[in-house]
Structure formats: C-alpha cells, structure tokens
C-alpha cells in the first residue's frame, strides 16, 4: 500500500499486467514519445504521461508509437485482439472518436455477435474525457453515454486512483472490448493504492456514503462532488447514499434500484450533455423499476446542452458541482 | 511459381466453387429464397483463388461486403456458408451474421465486412500478431476500388509501412463502386498511391489466375520474409450487379455478356491448363460435377434448415456480462 | 394533394427547395449513380432511389456523386454550408457514421458555438436507419440517440410521407445542421401529401391518437406500431394518446409533459438499443418534470442491448411491435 | 513573382506580428496568465505569410491546432485574437473558442481546429462554394506532418481531385507530430503521395519566405484558373514545444538554439531584402516597433478585459431552437 496518483495507478496496473502476460501490448500516439527522433525515447509516455516508463521496461516490440491514424491503429487493436493479443491502446481524447468510431462500434463491439459467438476480442481502449482542463469544445467532452449505448462494449469510468488500478487490471484481463475513461483533471489526485495487482469486478457499484433520505448516483469525477454534497447535506440533516456505478456497461442496476427502494429519492450526477445521457439512463431505469418507492421527482444534474466553452469562468459554470447537487437534492427532498 | 497438378486442380475447384455458389445464390435470391443484401463475386474468382493459394490457416485475410469468394478460397465450409446466407441456426455464424458478415477465425478468415474500408485496419492488427508472435504468417486485406478511397484504407497503408508489417493490400478493381465508375472516383492510380506510402506494388490482370498467382507469390514472400507491406492492383470485373436487385443500367449495353464471353476466369484457366497440358478436361469436368452437387446439396439443406432458436437473440454479445 | 410514398415525398421536398433556392446542392454516394461510366446517368439516384430525377433536372453542378469518402464529402458539406451553400448530403446508412462522425459532431455542430455565434451552417445530412430490412448488424442501427446527445445538431425522424415532406422542407430552410433520419423500411409507404411545398416546424410534436388513460411516445417508424397498439387497446377499454415528437432535438418536451399530466401513465417506444437512448431520455424528462402526475412506472419498449441479428426470425423478434407495446401498456395500467 | 515594396513590407509585418505574438504568448503562458492548450507557430512564419500573401477575403483557409500564424496572415484582428486566447468576452469568438478555435469567416479564416485532419474536408466545401458561385476564390488547407497521416486528409486529396476543386493542401512539416518524428511516421513522401492522387506538388524550404511565396503563387494560380488541386510540402521547424509546457526532451540537445540561429525566417528575410536592396533596415525596424506596441497593448488589454458574461454559456448553440 502506498500513495499513488490516478496516473500512477493506471500505469502500474498496465505494467503489472504486461509482466504477467506477454500478450499485453500498448500503443498510441506518443505512448512512447520520441520515436524516430534524435532525442530521448520515452520522452512523453502519452500526452499526459500515463504510459511513461513502459517503453524502457518492455521495449519497442510491446510499447509503440503510432502515426496520427486512429482508425488504423485502433482497428489494429481489434484485429490483434481477435487473433490472440491483448492490446491496451490509446484514443488520446475521447473527443477524437469521430475519426475512428467505426472500428470500435461496428468492428470490435460486434465481432462476437456477428460471428455467432466465435470471436473473442480482448482489447482496452484508454481515453481521456471531461471538462475543467481549459481545453475547449473539442478536447473536453464526456462521451461515455455514446459508448454505453452500444451493445458489445464495456464502459469503465474510474472515480479514484484505487478504482483506476483495480478496474484497469480487470479491463486488461477481461475478454471483451473495454472502453476505459480517464478523467484528465484527476491524474494528479492521490490516495492509498495497494502495490500488488487486484481486480475490481465490472458491474458492481460501490457506495461512498450510506444514508437514508436520498440516493445520489454519480459518474466518474462527479463522485467526489457528490461526496462533498452529501457531507454538506448531512450537516443540514439530509442523509445521503452516494453510489458510484464504476462501470456503466455492464451497470449494477440492482444496487441502484435497491438503494432507491430504501431512500425513495434519486439525484443523478453526470457531467455529460443531458440528452440521451447516463443521467437519462439511470433515471429511466429507476422510473421503470423502482417507481413505487419514489417519493418525488428524479433530479438530474448534468452539463447544459451546449458545447464546452473555453473561457474558464464559463467552463466552471458549465460543470456540475457540489452546490448544484445540493440544490437538486433539496428539490428532490422538497416534493 | 510452379504448381503441382494437385494444387492446380485444387485452385480450379476453388474457382468453380465460387462461381457455382454465386450463380446459385443469384438464382435463389431472385426466386425469393434468400433475404438481405447480397453481393456476388462471380467474375472475380481468379483473384481470391490466385492469392489464397499461397495461404494457410496461420495467414489472415479481411474481406469486404463482397466476401463469399474470399471465404471459399480461404477454406470456409461451403455448406455452413450457404446456411449462413439463408440465416439458419447451423450457419457459420449461427445465422446472426448473414452474407456480409461471414467469418471463420479458425481459418484465418477475419470476416466479410459491411463497412467499406473496414478491413484494412483489422488486418494490420492480425499482421502485428503474426509479427510479434513470429508465426511467419502474413495478413491480407481485400478492398474494392471504391474502398480504396476510404480514409481507413490509406491510414492502414501508412501504418503497415511505418510498423513494417507483413501485410498485402489487394485492391480488387472491378470498375465500379456501386454504380460509380472507378475511372472517375479514383484520383491517381492504385500503384502510384502505393508508391506514395513507400510500398512496392504490382498491377495485374485479375481474370488470369496465373498472373494473379505469380504476382501474389512475390509480394507474399516478401512480407513473409520481413520485407514489409505491398499493394496489388487487381483489375477484374463482376458479372452481376452491385448487389442482388441492381438493374445495372449504369453499365454499357451488352457489357456483361461481353465480359462473360471474353473475361471469364474459369474459361481462361481451362484454356491455359489444357493448352499447356497441365490438367485434362476430364479432371476438371469431374470437379465441376462434385462442386455442382455440393452446392445443390447445400441449397437443399439450407432451404429446409431451422432458423436460430429464438433464445439466441440476446446471446453472444459478450463473453461475460 | 396526391398519394406519395415516403421516398417520393422526400424527393419532392428536395426538388422543390432546389427550384426555390439555387444554393441548395445535393451530393452523396451514387446520388446520381453512373458518373464516369458508359451507361445511364442517374442510374441509381441513391442506393434506394430517393434522389432519382434530381440530376436530370438540376444537372451535374448541383447533384453530384462522390467517392466512398464520407469524412471528406460530409465535411465538405459543413465547409460549403459555412461559406454560403445549403447542401443536402447523404450518409447512406447511419451505421456508417463511424467513419465520418468527427465532421458532424466536432465540426458542423460546434462551429457556431466555438466561433462565438458568428457561423451559420445550414446543411442537411440525410441518412437511413432502422432494422427490419434483413441487412444485419452494420446496416440496421437506429443511432439517432447518439446524434440527439450532441449539442448543435438538430435531429429529425419523420414517421410518415406527409411528415417527411414537411420536415425535409423545413430542414433545408433551417439555418442549423440537421440530421434527417429516414427509415429504410418505410420508403414505399404511401399517404396523401400536398403537392405544394409546406414546412413542419421543429420541436412541435404531433398527436396521432388522443386518449385519457395512457401516453405513448413513439419515435419514427414506431409511431405506426404505437397507433396499432392504441387501436387494439381501445378495444379493450384503454384509451391512449400517441405522441410523435417528430424531432428529438429540439424536442417538444412540453407536449410530452402535458400529456402525461393528463393521462398519468407513459410508455416510450424506441427501436434503438435501450441504454442512453431516446426511450431513456423521454422517460427521464417525465420522471423529473411530471412525476406528480405519474400513476405508475414508466414503461420502455426498445430493442434489446444486442446488435441487430441477420436471421429474419431473430430480427422480427428484435424490434418493438404492437404486441410488445400492448403488453407494456397493460403493465403501465396495472400498477 | 515580383512583390512591391509595400507588399514586401506588409509580408514582413505579418511575419513579425506572428513572431512577436507567439513569443509573448509563450511568456504570458509561462507566467500563468493564459489558460488552456496553446500551440505556437514561431519558426514557421514564412509559410503562413508566403502563402497568404496571395489571398484575399474571398479565399478560404482552414487551419490546425497551431493556428495563430495562419489567422494573423489571413487578416484576423490581432487584438481580438489575444483577447480570445485569454478567454475574454470581447475575443474574436467571444471567449468560447480559445486558441484552438479562432476563426473569422468574414476574412475567409475557417478556423483553427482541435482535430488533426479536421480542416481538409471543410476546405473542399469552401472550394466547392467558390467554384459553384464562380467567385474566383481558392481554398487552402494547412495540415502538419502528423495530420498528413489522418484518413480525412487523404480522402480530401481524392475528393478535391475527383471534383476538380480549387484547393491547395499545404503540409507544414516541422519534423514532429507532438514528440514523434516525421522521419518515422510518414511512409513515403508528401510529394509522392500527391502523385498518388494525381495531383501536382512542390516541396519547398519553409524558412524562406520567397521560396514559399513563389511556389504558392504557382499552385494558387493553377487552382484559380480551374487547374484543380495541388499539394505543397513545406519543410520548416518550430521553435517551441508541441504545446506550451512541453519539455522537448525528444529533440536533440541544442536543436532549437541552432534552428533559431540558422533557420530563422525573419532573419533570412531581412538578410535577403537588405542584400537585394528591396527594403531597408530602418523600414523594418519601424515595423518591429509598431508590432511590439500592438502586441504589448493587446496583452495589457487582455489581462484586464472581462470574461464573457455568465449568461453567454448557453447562447450560440443554434441559430434557432
Ligand atoms: C463506409 C461505407 N460507406 C458506404 C457503404 C455502402 N457501400 C457498400 S458497397 C459500396 C461500393 C463498394 O465499392 P468497391 O469498394 O469498389 O467494391 P465492389 O462492390 O465493387 O466489390 C458502397 C458504397 C458502406 N458499406 N460502407
Ligand atoms: C484526430 C486527432 N488525433 C490526435 C490529436 C492530438 N494531437 C494534437 S496536435 C498533434 C500532433 C500534430 O502534429 P502535426 O500535424 O505534425 O502538427 P504540428 O503540431 O507539428 O504543427 C496531435 C497528435 C488531435 N488533436 N486530433
Ligand atoms: Mg468495385
Ligand atoms: Mg508537425
């Protein structure tokens, strides 16, 4: 056990799996960083340094740079996975999905079904999401809802360093294509993380707060904000459960439903755009399956139906935060 | 490259099987027995056969929407293919894939593909597996002239070159992408494009099994020996419409009839091997009979076969979920 | 007024707008069909003949074939729209979005916001969706939920020939990027359609049945099935409102909420995959905004979380139908 | 192509403005005044300036993430650009775009672009508008060596060729895509790639304003006269990291210092025009002073300027909704 950042936790999980299984390979733009040049190799280890150190340890046969050709190199991961490797490949920002989505949603995701259950495609696509980085409209989106919509994909959104390591280890060992969403604002956050490998199973929610009055379901980085909000609400006499689904596909709908059956109230916190979102998804599942227990309207806290603005003042306003969650929680309690 | 009598006969069998398969599917589709989008490979047999003759199960191919010929040449079970095209539970993909998604990974057949340009990225991955695991395998992506304009295809050219992969890109140029002529839609030439990415390339008459076979032998050998990717521009023609149901009014009057007369790869093959005394007409006639029976049996079985059990609808989405 | 098919209605709307405004241009794969060849020009008019006849009337400067390069030619529509044309461009099947989505969701959709309100991007992307055509996993999807998720896009899903013509006319005259979803199974359906141009405003739902007991919200082709179900239910004494949102972005949430406030019960019918779908979206909006009126759980009728199968028997089972809607309606009534 | 004294001085002003703008943004970023991802164009000035000298507002350009230089050369207001980079309400895009999304459609500047390869498809559309409306305009897409490997770029090459559009693709090859060398990542050569698509092409030293200007003149004239698309391979270097914050350890020791010494387009320009007696040092010094003041004023104003009003968050998504 030692303090590790979200970045280090992910890096360590990958390194340990690479040591364990020689079929695990890593590639992406500048995942080494420096290929072909006269300076340092492993100069970058990915644009925010997550894969740094893998190249020196595992060498150029297992850790590779790529041209800026996402369709080709992510499709190559699908093809490699279907033929016996276990690639961990990087789609730098999920905002770039638009140049390569076909290889993910029509190829990797559908092989198994289209081929009558005969394909196994164990690949992990690591990708960064989320606002708050001053990176504007094309580098700040939280598009996990789109991936969650697609049958055949698994979608993982770790909300802390501990979660990140355990979920990444599971993702690499998993036999299905996994999209692993890393919140770019969280890389430097630290917590105690075991040194040995461990897995966190997919489809099992975790509870970060337990309470009787209200269930808050929060996605990824929003879990922190939900915790803050819960702590604040506690002081005002409102006792909240905070539930982190960890994976949105598969999703632990049972735990969500059970929790709402206990509390009778639901707030969903999702930093994505509101329409056809995870907020919609969780709300609808509860409205269908735990209706009788509901004491008031479900509240959704999301970003607006608006691209992510550049100006810091606007971006800060754009994202959900603890205050907005508290306000929604009070609305949920009022009715 | 010299082929043994057995190999020649086997190649003839492959071509004849493709032809008969496709002509029969055409008939059955017309009479309403087969559902869906079906794209036939008749006329292009020498390409699949000439190339895949060099391959074994450790080699991978990725195909296109027009995939039956590639499947057959790569060794997929013909009976199970027919069952699949009929959407039957015993089909090669359990009836879930259909004509555009036939695959058999155990044979190195990584799938027909409903997405134009879908295959080249995948094949880079298969090639990487072969290279990393040192299997000696090569990986071949078939694309059409139309698919040769898809960005995914170009990216794959570059990735294969930069990663130095044992890949061959085969552009099967049958003159049309749907109804659009490749004379118009392709800027530059296929071989110049290969040069643009630093790849060697070769253009070949795709009606001539021997020309294809020779050219393929060279590029495949290079790839197997660590010489990196190449491109083949295979010029050929399709005898049917883009898909079943296409009235082909975009083709010149009499074009298909002329092609069937002059550019029939099976006739050209037979003329060649008999003239050179490599095979006898009798031997080939025997193959024709065997194949006819195989196809006929497959159709008959497929017509009667059961659809997938209804509880299969939601299986096979994940390994675990 | 005359009987027109869904196909003819769309074709007529485009032709009339092209006559009205010389800046309206049409392009896509085989939207002419025959370019460069020795046979007939206008041989295809699109893979299912929707644009047939435009090339002979308007000529090759305004109606064009393209190479199979969706990123380039759909991006070209965005670039042309931002510089003064009004392109109507075809993404043949929406399943192909994966090779060109960037140009739609990061470029066209975001110009106006990223450029501070100074861009106007009047383009229409026509695209086919839906199962039931025996076209299997990569040609049968109903991905409108993904487009609805994206701010900056408008999403139109006409449910009949009359709707198709009026909504297409509006789409072409609209100054924002519009994704126009045509259900490929509906092209030959006919109904009375006015000969003169008319528009149907975006964001105004239509009611195809009016009833007191239950609101059925149905998307695109599902409206027919909902009507059938409503007729069946009527006979059993359950009186339904059927609401067709027509456009999912903008969406007439007010009418949906009002209707549920009257009936107290909701069934949403959406042929897409269930997760983060339009079914989720409509359900969540009602669960948040009309909760008090709800008398029972919201029911969603969708396809399963499964790619579209090829075998006709499976595909028929895959889609929602009137029977499934009736069953869900009864569930909604029971509680 | 002979440039008038005025034109030369104007080109010098453009280059100097870019240089000063970027060097100052670098400083202000380092001291924390500027948020976000910022990619600087210092070292590449001769490319934007030499090409855009041929253009007017009716011509369109599409830029990249490294867009400041293209914006300035295409006539965007420098003060409003700086305000935008600071995220201010008075910025060119109201503070909503930031460095990677500066655009001014009224000037034919169709936007920097956060997506590598995002611009070439758009520019095909702008070229189509020009062709259809017979404005005589041309459209130019800038891409980096990294962007030259993106599928969208290749598709645009082909579309521009097939549709015969007045487009110029300018590959600004600064040797790196982020930290990856273009010596490794680019299979083949840029000019061979152009040939592959049937386009003429030219390679040019991008530190030399006059070489760029001449080469651009030719390809632009061809496009204006209906001669179709071309490609320019412009070889140059960047003086800063990929983005602000990049430690550049992937570059050889002393690489940047050497480049600043030997490959400074402003120095090269000045040496040339003084040697040939085309401009005097005094004239240029005067420009330097003007530009220095302009940049300084812009920064001072930007520092103090107000952010966008909070009610702007949800505006400008649609024209109507
Ligand atoms: C990305 C994508 N775009 C368009 C299509 C529709 N489509 C299917 S086949 C085809 C023509 C393909 O032409 P070509 O590559 O020459 O192959 P051929 O049919 O001639 O064998 C098109 C446009 C598709 N399936 N995928
Ligand atoms: C589609 C896409 N992939 C990756 C990135 C991340 N990225 C931004 S700039 C860049 C390098 C671009 O290199 P190059 O085209 O040579 O331009 P330069 O930075 O050298 O000017 C990368 C990989 C992106 N913005 N978009
Ligand atoms: Mg073809
Ligand atoms: Mg570069």
């Amino acid at each position: 056990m030692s303090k590790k950042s979200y970045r280090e936790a992910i890096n360590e999980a990958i390194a340990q799996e690479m040591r364990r299984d020689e079929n695990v390979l890593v590639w992406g733009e500048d995942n080494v960083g420096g290929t072909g040049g006269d300076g340092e190799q492993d100069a970058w280890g990915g644009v925010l340094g997550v894969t740094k150190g893998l190249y020196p340890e595992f060498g150029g046969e297992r850790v590779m740079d790529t041209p800026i050709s996402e369709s080709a190199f992510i499709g190559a991961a699908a093809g490699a996975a279907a033929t016996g490797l276990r690639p961990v490949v990087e789609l730098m920002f999920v905002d770039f999905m638009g140049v390569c989505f076909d290889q993910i949603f029509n190829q990797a995701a559908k092989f198994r079904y289209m081929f009558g259950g005969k394909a196994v495609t164990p690949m992990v696509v690591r990708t960064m999401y989320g606002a708050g980085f001053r990176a504007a409209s094309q580098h700040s989106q939280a598009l996990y809802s789109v991936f969650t919509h697609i049958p055949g994909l698994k979608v993982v959104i770790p909300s802390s360093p501990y979660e990140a390591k355990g979920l990444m280890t599971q993702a690499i060992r998993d036999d299905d294509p996994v999209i692993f969403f890393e919140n770019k604002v969280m890389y430097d956050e630290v917590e105690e993380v075991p040194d040995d490998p461990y897995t966190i199973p997919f489809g099992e929610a975790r509870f970060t707060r337990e309470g009787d009055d209200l269930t808050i379901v929060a996605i990824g980085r929003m879990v922190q904000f939900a915790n803050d909000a819960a702590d604040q609400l506690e002081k005002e006499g409102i006792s909240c459960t905070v539930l982190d689904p960890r994976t949105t596909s598969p999703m632990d709908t049972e735990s969500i439903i059970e929790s709402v059956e206990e509390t009778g109230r639901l707030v969903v916190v999702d930093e994505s755009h509101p329409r056809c979102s995870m907020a919609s998804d969780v709300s609808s599942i509860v409205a269908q399956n735990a209706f009788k227990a509901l004491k008031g309207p479900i509240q959704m806290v999301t970003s607006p139906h608006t691209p992510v603005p550049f100006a810091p003042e606007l971006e800060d306003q754009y994202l959900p935060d603890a205050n907005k969650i508290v306000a929604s929680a009070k609305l949920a309690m009022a009715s | 490259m010299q082929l043994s009598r057995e190999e020649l006969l086997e190649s003839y069998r492959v071509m004849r099987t493709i032809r008969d398969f496709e002509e029969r599917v055409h008939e059955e589709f017309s009479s309403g027995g087969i559902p869906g989008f079906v794209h036939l490979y008749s006329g292009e047999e020498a390409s699949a056969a000439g190339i895949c003759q060099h391959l074994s199960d450790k080699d991978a191919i990725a195909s296109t929407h027009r995939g039956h010929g590639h499947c057959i040449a790569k060794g997929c079970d013909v009976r199970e293919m027919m069952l699949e095209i009929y959407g039957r539970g015993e089909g090669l993909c359990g009836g879930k894939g259909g004509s555009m998604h036939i695959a058999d990974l155990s044979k190195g057949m990584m799938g027909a593909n409903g997405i134009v340009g879908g295959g080249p990225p995948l094949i880079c991955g298969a090639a990487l597996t072969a290279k990393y695991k040192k299997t000696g395998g090569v990986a071949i992506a078939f694309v059409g002239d139309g698919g040769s304009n898809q960005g995914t295809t170009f990216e794959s050219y570059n990735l294969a070159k930069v990663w130095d992969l044992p890949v061959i890109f085969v552009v099967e140029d049958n003159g049309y992408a749907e109804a659009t002529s490749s004379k118009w839609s392709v800027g530059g030439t296929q071989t110049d494009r290969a040069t643009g990415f630093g790849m060697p390339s070769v253009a070949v008459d795709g009606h001539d099994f021997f020309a294809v076979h020779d050219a393929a032998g060279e590029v495949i050998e290079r790839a197997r020996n660590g010489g990196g990717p190449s491109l083949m521009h295979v010029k050929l023609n399709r005898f049917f419409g883009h898909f079943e149901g296409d009235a082909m009014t975009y083709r010149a009057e009499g074009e298909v009839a002329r092609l069937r007369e002059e550019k029939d790869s099976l006739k050209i093959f037979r003329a060649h091997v008999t003239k050179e005394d490599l095979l006898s007409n009798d031997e080939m006639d025997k193959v024709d009979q065997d194949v006819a029976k195989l196809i006929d049996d497959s159709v008959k079985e497929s017509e009667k076969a059961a659809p997938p059990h209804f509880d299969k609808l939601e299986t096979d989405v994940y390994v675990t979920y």
Side-chain angles (χ1 to χ4, degrees), chain A residues 7 9 124 181 211 251 261 325:
Chain A
R7 175 189 289 105
V124 180
F181 281 84
M251 186 164 74
E261 276 168 352
I325 300 169

Side-chain angles (χ1 to χ4, degrees), chain A residues 22-25 27-28 61-62 64-85 99 102-103 106-109 111-121 150-154 174-177 248-251, chain B residues 60 80 84 91-98 100-105 109-115 117-134 151-152 155-159 162-163 312-321:
Chain A
E22 66 177 13
N23 288 327
V24 179
L25 272 68
W27 63 82
E61 285 201 345
R62 296 182 66 190
M64 295 181 290
D65 279 337
T66 67
I68 308 180
S69 308
E70 285 85 355
S71 282
F73 74 74
I74 289 177
T83 52
L85 299 182
V99 298
D102 187 72
Q103 293 292 326
N106 272 333
Q107 312 295 337
F111 282 166
R112 190 165 176 82
Y113 194 80
M114 293 190 305
F115 302 164
K118 290 177 192 160
V120 181
T121 311
I150 303 296
L153 299 179
K154 291 177 174 171
D174 201 277
D175 279 335
D176 292 306
T248 59
S249 182
M251 186 164 74
Chain B
E80 290 182 271
E84 185 61 33
L92 196 45
C93 302
K96 288 176 168 176
M100 271 194 289
H101 306 295
I102 301 183
D104 187 345
L105 294 171
M109 166 59 202
M110 297 187 64
N113 210 309
I115 303 299
L122 302 173
I123 219 61
C124 289
L128 181 70
T129 301
K131 183 179 176 180
Y132 177 73
K133 296 198 169 191
K134 302 193 172 55
T152 57
E155 289 191 358
S156 303
Y157 292 173
N158 191 53
L159 186 67
V162 168
W163 276 3
K312 292 286 186 188
L313 174 62
E314 299 186 42
T315 63
D316 301 328
V317 184
Y318 298 93
V319 178
T320 56
Y321 198 63

Side-chain angles (χ1 to χ4, degrees), chain A residues 54-279:
Chain A
L54 298 178
Y55 173 82
E57 177 172 355
F58 301 102
E61 285 201 345
R62 296 182 66 190
V63 186
M64 295 181 290
D65 279 337
T66 67
I68 308 180
S69 308
E70 285 85 355
S71 282
F73 74 74
I74 289 177
T83 52
L85 299 182
R86 304 185 83 85
V88 179
V89 67
E90 184 182 282
L91 172 59
M92 190 185 294
F93 293 88
V94 72
D95 309 69
F96 307 160
M97 65 169 278
V99 298
C100 62
F101 193 40
D102 187 72
Q103 293 292 326
I104 298 173
F105 96 106
N106 272 333
Q107 312 295 337
K110 294 187 173 60
F111 282 166
R112 190 165 176 82
Y113 194 80
M114 293 190 305
F115 302 164
K118 290 177 192 160
V120 181
T121 311
M123 65 189 275
V124 180
V125 179
R126 296 180 42 243
T127 191
M128 284 187 277
Y129 82 97
F133 210 71
R134 309 341 188 177
S137 303
Q138 294 173 338
H139 284 69
S140 305
Q141 295 165 88
L143 301 161
Y144 41 71
S145 311
V146 172
F147 292 82
T148 304
H149 183 61
I150 303 296
L153 299 179
K154 291 177 174 171
V155 179
V156 180
I157 316 175
S159 57
S160 82
Y162 177 89
E163 294 292 306
K165 180 171 175 185
L167 289 166
M168 176 55 87
T169 305
Q170 174 59 35
I172 296 174
R173 295 185 190 175
D174 201 277
D175 279 335
D176 292 306
V178 176
I179 317 297
F180 192 90
F181 281 84
E182 303 173 10
N183 190 303
K184 61 179 90 71
V185 181
M186 291 174 65
Y187 280 127
D188 292 321
E189 290 178 9
V190 289
E191 72 180 352
E192 289 292 334
V193 176
D195 299 326
D196 286 339
Y198 59 95
T199 59
I200 297 176
F202 291 172
E204 288 188 17
R206 72 169 177 138
F207 294 85
T208 61
R209 295 289 184 278
E210 311 249 9
D212 305 322
D213 298 328
L214 173 73
T215 301
I216 306 180
V217 173
I219 311 289
R221 182 175 173 229
M222 297 299 109
V223 173
Q224 303 174 358
F225 297 173
N227 288 340
D228 293 348
D231 296 346
Q232 225 172 291
L233 288 160
E234 187 73 52
K235 289 182 204 138
E236 307 186 29
I238 302 170
S239 136
C240 302
T241 285
V242 175
L243 185 152
D244 167 9
R246 286 174 160 156
T247 59
T248 59
S249 182
M251 186 164 74
D252 186 355
T253 48
E254 247 170 72
S255 292
I256 295 172
I257 291 166
E258 274 171 28
S259 176
V260 174
E261 276 168 352
E262 284 166 23
T263 63
R265 300 183 196 269
L266 174 66
V267 173
V268 193
V269 191
D270 171 8
E271 75 166 284
S272 69
H273 309 303
R275 305 295 313 283
C276 301
S277 62
M278 276 310 302

Side-chain angles (χ1 to χ4, degrees), chain B residues 57-117:
Chain B
D57 288 356
K58 74 166 187 241
D59 301 308
I61 68 168
S63 175
T64 69
H65 55 287
R66 197 176 302 287
H68 306 167
H70 305 134
C71 289
I72 291 171
K74 196 68 177 53
C76 292
D77 187 87
V78 167
R79 196 187 128 259
E80 290 182 271
M81 282 178 60
M82 192 66 85
L83 284 159
E84 185 61 33
I85 290 168
Y86 272 82
R88 303 311 189 194
E90 302 282 294
L92 196 45
C93 302
K96 288 176 168 176
S99 166
M100 271 194 289
H101 306 295
I102 301 183
D104 187 345
L105 294 171
S106 71
K107 294 277 198 300
M109 166 59 202
M110 297 187 64
N113 210 309
I115 303 299
V116 167

